[in-house]
Amino acid sequence: METSALQKERASYQPKLPKALKGAVKIKEGEPTQSVDNHEEIKKLFPNTYGMPLVEFVPAEKQESFRINVGVILSGGQAPGGHNVISGLYDELKKLNPENRLFGFLMGPGGLVDHNYIEITDVLMNKYRNTGGFDLIGSGRTKLEKEEQFEKGLEIIRELDIKALVIVGGDDSNTNACVLAEYYAAKKYGVQVIGCPKTIDGDLKNDQIETSFGFDTATKTYSELIGNIARDCNSARKYWHFIKLMGRSASHIALECALQTQPNICLISEEIEAKDLSLNDIVEDIATVVARRAHDGRNYGVVLIPEGLIEFIPSIGRLIEELNDLLAEHGNDYKDLDIDAQRAYIIEHLSEGNKATFETLPEGVARQLSLDRDPHGNVQVSLIETERLISDMVAMKLNKWAKQGKYNGSFATLHHFLGYEGRCAAPSNFDADYCYSLGTSAVQLIANGKTGYMAIIKNTTEKAEDWIAGGVPITMMMNIERRNGELKPVIRKALVELDGAPFKEFVKLRSKWAKETSYIYPGPVQYWGPSDVCDQTTRTLALEQGKEVFVF
Amino acid sequence: METSALQKERASYQPKLPKALKGAVKIKEGEPTQSVDNHEEIKKLFPNTYGMPLVEFVPAEKQESFRINVGVILSGGQAPGGHNVISGLYDELKKLNPENRLFGFLMGPGGLVDHNYIEITDVLMNKYRNTGGFDLIGSGRTKLEKEEQFEKGLEIIRELDIKALVIVGGDDSNTNACVLAEYYAAKKYGVQVIGCPKTIDGDLKNDQIETSFGFDTATKTYSELIGNIARDCNSARKYWHFIKLMGRSASHIALECALQTQPNICLISEEIEAKDLSLNDIVEDIATVVARRAHDGRNYGVVLIPEGLIEFIPSIGRLIEELNDLLAEHGNDYKDLDIDAQRAYIIEHLSEGNKATFETLPEGVARQLSLDRDPHGNVQVSLIETERLISDMVAMKLNKWAKQGKYNGSFATLHHFLGYEGRCAAPSNFDADYCYSLGTSAVQLIANGKTGYMAIIKNTTEKAEDWIAGGVPITMMMNIERRNGELKPVIRKALVELDGAPFKEFVKLRSKWAKETSYIYPGPVQYWGPSDVCDQTTRTLALEQGKEVFVF
């Protein structure tokens, strides 16, 4: 395998650990916990893993050698730092006993079910330290949720003498990790299951999980690119750049990137939903900013659009919800129809209000809503070209205003979608340290006999040394939600909070950004050099924790 | 102006200069030169600026104080390092005499004609040192080519007591700089004109100009992103990523990025032209690689496509050439017709062979070829979605093969266009040093009474200290070419040479890349840290100069 100069130099970086995880470790247990909502239902569904205490690791004088084989699975979309979770697992396992073995199941949860795995060796591990991507063992989106999968997985678990599984994933995957933990506990199979909070989207976060890994690096990478585009915009002064950002439902990525780069406009889906704005309202708001800037001689700008926007426009959200349920229920009747018949089928089966919304959508968007769905049965929002849809509608609005004499500018647009450019970036110092600490914590949870827990690291705006490592029972983060037409126990997804500090900071600044040109150009992620450049936390995390925000 | 932590720290970077430019400087003149072709015609068109010698700067014991005001213009597309050309000019002017003044004409050559300018001051300059973008004075695409523009510009030149203009641009802009130099010399206006070689496209290069500035940073930024996408590709193992890369006609950017990242496929327009491949041939070649990888269980890959590809497919190239001439001649009759009438008009006026080609093109492509043109009257190749066109055609081919039982894989595609993400990146150490040296050289050319020269720096694969600074008469790089239906003296554009070392290296490796998965992940540009990471030259430059290529 040929590697870049950066990768070679970066291989020798030793990720920093919290004080408590540096040497021998012991566990400190807190009070019993309960789920965030629906206590009785969750308790009934998880009799063996409900109500367990929060735990924290503290330094010990010595720790007994501990012999175990562990399996690790990377689940869902890539996020910078996945390989460092694995190196954290690997190093801590070897520290506890050099005989310990770590197996990686290949291409996601499917690798467990289909018995595809490799053993992680020294040579292999060293090639992947501090690198981006999940290519060491691959990832996949198979959902681990059926008993037959659990039983099939058990065969290889037994064969490899594995006593614990670590599942690295987002909210869905960690929900499933908990179901699996409960199943193996109920069956007394003696197999522990531990989760790790991964997702660039930033929506796996709550009182216990300060941030999911990958969010830091991905938002820095996107902000690098947004800054470069903004600088281009401010040099040529003739284009409006519409930039859609990955991030699924929540707008955390868009908000964080806005705070880092100060674009003229950033849409926040959660606000649009709360204010019950229509597509036309959004278009009118943008056109108003464009017209004002044109009036000031500024026929250029940058607009950030969160990937999930379209679902959060309430009328369209209601439509998508019914479509998700409808197609989950009737998918088989529907999937072999031709395009026109599919459209007719949908119109026939929708309720009145949603039918009206569906019929008024531009055809391309209507088709995208009714076709491709991800393996969880949801609309693949990333395929909808919202950035073009919105800029086209803004152009139409401006044309109308021009005819009415209310606008006299030029509106030339360029479109970008940033997503795959950042999910596999080499982890920033923060993500490299954070992930390595998560992996280390996961092993300590295992060594302390825990199952149905997620590894956590708190106090993350301080120096790594002062981070607090521990674990949280996954049931503690659960509630009951409707998914694909069924009520299910799931980890509550964290959306942007409109009374949270990051959004409030954004609101304070955005009218200035809209009128003036306040772009900030963060530049590429740096690994060496001044600490204020290399070790900055995200603005979201700093604001949420009430830390002083860098005065740029 | 708020600035990022990186920008703040980077402001204090002192760009490195060649030994000869560090202190007092004197000039060493070579033999008279002649143009690369059409000697007599060029000589006749440039009687005052033809045949001048190459010059080189060497250290002197002392240099007299020299009092002058200078104007600078940024012309055409942005390239990383533009602000460092200006800081090089500024510092050297102040070194020669603190009374010297530097004026920046705003938004490109139009600023000279329309008398829009600012004076560059210490405070202003310090905010832009080592930053990306052209936003200090903006850029524009107005062509400076008419006598009335030259005379209009002269008014403000006289008013500001400017004795020399520095025009920072690509081949077209430097051609125009030479025309302007000749005009002012012929009129004995006493205004010198000096050019600087700028373009990320890498096509302004010849025996005298080793590389144009911005190519280094832009290709590193694109390679960072291609590497991230490739790592995603190799983690998820389910998509073929089609990535189009900016770079206008030439494929230098695609080739350089391919050498840095080792994708499965990279198209090189110049090769396609030389081999007289049709669109169908290209599609068949790609589909063959896809099918072979599918046979090996690899239903994923990365394809790089140069922006200018479509023009280089000979049949389409002939069509575009005729369209460019046709629309230059009849643009006025044509521009107010509706879309269908435009199509009919074109078909009616095209020659037989080109008509046939035009009629068989997918409609969207045909329309893009016949509509939007840049201010130079050329097809805006960056607007043609070649990446989608080609992947759609590959999918059709694979479907056909599947029906014939020759292919049994999955072919899911994702598309990217990388361009605006890299043109305004903060300059790499190389571009920061190179541009600063070019600006310094330009001032020394002025101080030594030169006009119609371009500033040059040679020996650029060595340490900056050992670089050789000097100047080349612009006429030396000229020949006569047909542009928009007219024969004109122009700087010869450098395309990828099929017998050059970079292309030969690529050919040597590409069949391995196609079959296996050999991706290299370069990561983001680094400014601090190990020299092998921060100070790498491009592979193109290293190979062209026979330097040892980094064995990754």
Side-chain angles (χ1 to χ4, degrees), chain B residues 382-397:
Chain B
S382 76
L383 295 180
I384 300 175
E385 294 189 294
T386 336
E387 68 281 21
R388 278 176 208 273
L389 168 72
I390 289 183
S391 86
D392 285 355
M393 291 178 74
V394 170
M396 284 160 58
K397 180 77 68 182

Side-chain angles (χ1 to χ4, degrees), chain A residues 496-501 503-504:
Chain A
V496 169
E497 291 180 9
L498 302 186
D499 57 356
F503 182 74
K504 277 155 89 177

Side-chain angles (χ1 to χ4, degrees), chain A residues 31-34 48-54 450-453 473-475:
Chain A
E31 296 298 305
T33 59
Q34 55 181 21
N48 295 281
T49 53
Y50 189 86
M52 303 180 298
L54 279 169
K450 300 298 173 193
T451 190
Y453 273 74
I474 299 177
T475 51

Side-chain angles (χ1 to χ4, degrees), chain B residues 392-466:
Chain B
D392 285 355
M393 291 178 74
V394 170
M396 284 160 58
K397 180 77 68 182
L398 291 170
N399 276 338
K400 201 175 114 190
W401 289 355
K403 280 179 193 147
Q404 297 166 348
K406 293 198 290 190
Y407 166 72
N408 178 21
S410 77
F411 183 65
T413 56
L414 288 168
H415 303 92
H416 314 263
F417 171 41
L418 303 178
Y420 297 94
E421 292 79 359
R423 302 198 315 177
C424 286
S428 62
N429 287 345
F430 176 85
D431 272 327
D433 298 345
Y434 183 56
C435 290
Y436 191 77
S437 300
L438 284 172
T440 309
S441 265
V443 169
Q444 286 295 342
L445 287 169
I446 295 166
N448 283 280
K450 300 298 173 192
T451 190
Y453 272 76
M454 212 184 296
I456 54 169
I457 301 292
K458 301 184 85 161
N459 219 23
T460 51
T461 54
E462 300 299 329
K463 286 192 179 144
E465 196 177 73
D466 297 324

